[in-house]
Amino acid sequence: MTTIWKYPLDVACSQVLVMPTDATILCVQTQRQRIYLWALVDPARKGFDRRHFSVYGTGHDLPRHPGTYLGTVQIEPFVWHVFEDAQEEGE
């Protein structure tokens, strides 16, 4: 059985979320002036993955390969852009 889990994201260039293996990112949005990521997960699935995310502000420098773009959110007066990094475990 699958369900949807919510994960808070910090405004940071690098952070790790531990998610069930094969979790599917649905969206990123704000709730109560905080950035959250929602994912479709199978809680019965054995195993977890460490997934890497970054949040960059408009006008901020990004690395050459920031990762997979997930969405843009606004927390007035700022606009933030969320990416999932393609880092491998141990990097």
Side-chain angles (χ1 to χ4, degrees):
M1 177 182 290
T2 58
T3 188
I4 297 172
W5 287 2
K6 176 174 79 172
Y7 297 87
L9 289 174
D10 295 322
V11 175
C13 291
S14 181
Q15 57 199 292
V16 175
L17 296 178
V18 177
M19 307 173 78
T21 299
D22 295 330
T24 301
I25 306 300
L26 298 175
C27 70
V28 292
Q29 293 187 28
T30 58
Q31 185 178 45
R32 296 183 197 95
Q33 300 300 304
R34 179 115 197 240
I35 302 171
Y36 288 94
L37 176 150
W38 281 265
L40 187 65
V41 302
D42 179 355
R45 183 158 179 99
K46 296 197 186 322
F48 288 86
D49 294 326
R50 292 173 48 88
R51 294 175 66 171
H52 301 260
F53 298 90
S54 296
V55 178
Y56 301 100
T58 297
H60 293 189
D61 292 333
L62 274 70
R64 183 173 207 170
H65 302 288
T68 302
Y69 172 76
L70 299 177
T72 295
V73 298
Q74 296 181 48
I75 301 175
E76 292 294 334
F78 303 106
V79 179
W80 304 103
H81 311 280
V82 181
F83 292 81
E84 181 171 10
D85 305 332
Q87 294 183 333
E88 297 295 326
E89 189 66 30
E91 278 192 36

